[in-house]
Amino acid sequence: MDELLDELRKRKYERWFRAADVDSDGAITRQDVVMMGERYLRARGIPPGALQAQQMLDTMHGFWETVIAPADADKDDRVTSAEMTQAFAGAFTDRARYPEELAPVADRFFDPADDDGDDAISLTEFTHIFGSTGRAADDECAEVFHALDLDASGALSRTEYHRAASEFFYGDDPDAPANHVFGRLA
């Protein structure tokens, strides 16, 4: 990647980091990852004992183990923004690996967000995902949602949703609307 694209991915990963650092202490821990899932479940009104809640928490623990914890270069059980950015830049290089690396986590957010079970996410449902987990303002969510709704159907299909998640983590297009799914980039 050229220098401009390196900077874009760095900014995206730093924005994601700010959303994932739930307690805002400058590091992501296993607890932050769990709290991110819990924050989402609360926003969706899913009770702690529900099957969806357990599936979400299992997925988040797996996300910690397979994606976040390996970024902990100094093995202190705390992943800093620098560690995360470096790890993401190294890990998310092959978009073909999205189905194994991130799609299961993305599906765990998609499925409960699809409140009416129509296999699509409305603007309201989308705002719950990124407003609660990404700390994005409602107007930012609406702007991004409409840009990601490629067929202008008023809902994001699972395909559109996965395309956006893949673009955010793997993409290098500075004009891609998916760059802003966790809030506008600085």
Side-chain angles (χ1 to χ4, degrees), residues 58-75:
D58 289 347
T59 297
M60 297 310 282
H61 281 290
F63 185 62
W64 168 260
E65 293 294 330
T66 61
V67 178
I68 307 297
D72 184 12
D74 59 8
K75 304 302 180 208

Side-chain angles (χ1 to χ4, degrees), residues 68-76 78-80 83-84 86:
I68 307 297
D72 184 12
D74 59 8
K75 304 302 180 208
D76 65 352
R78 297 171 46 82
V79 178
T80 65
E83 287 173 319
M84 180 55 54
Q86 183 69 26

Side-chain angles (χ1 to χ4, degrees), residues 37-108:
E38 290 170 341
R39 182 173 59 194
Y40 175 75
L41 292 168
R42 277 191 308 276
R44 297 299 301 141
I46 299 169
L51 177 61
Q52 284 181 319
Q54 188 57 52
Q55 289 172 332
M56 171 65 83
L57 295 178
D58 289 347
T59 297
M60 297 310 282
H61 281 290
F63 185 62
W64 168 260
E65 293 294 330
T66 61
V67 178
I68 307 297
D72 184 12
D74 59 8
K75 304 302 180 208
D76 65 352
D77 295 323
R78 297 171 46 82
V79 178
T80 65
S81 179
E83 287 173 319
M84 180 55 54
T85 299
Q86 183 69 26
F88 276 12
F92 301 137
T93 59
D94 182 1
R95 198 182 293 245
R97 295 189 57 199
Y98 172 79
E100 68 190 63
E101 291 175 336
L102 292 174
V105 174
D107 278 333
R108 287 291 182 225

Side-chain angles (χ1 to χ4, degrees), residues 16 19 33 35 41-42 49 53 55 57 73 75 92 94 111 133 136 138 141 149-150 158-159 163-164 167 171 178 184:
W16 182 90
V33 173
M35 288 188 313
L41 292 168
R42 277 191 308 276
Q55 289 172 332
L57 295 178
K75 304 302 180 208
F92 301 137
D94 182 1
D111 292 335
T133 60
D138 288 356
C141 289
D149 182 12
L150 300 176
R158 191 176 296 265
T159 300
R163 185 178 295 127
E167 179 61 36
R184 289 188 189 102

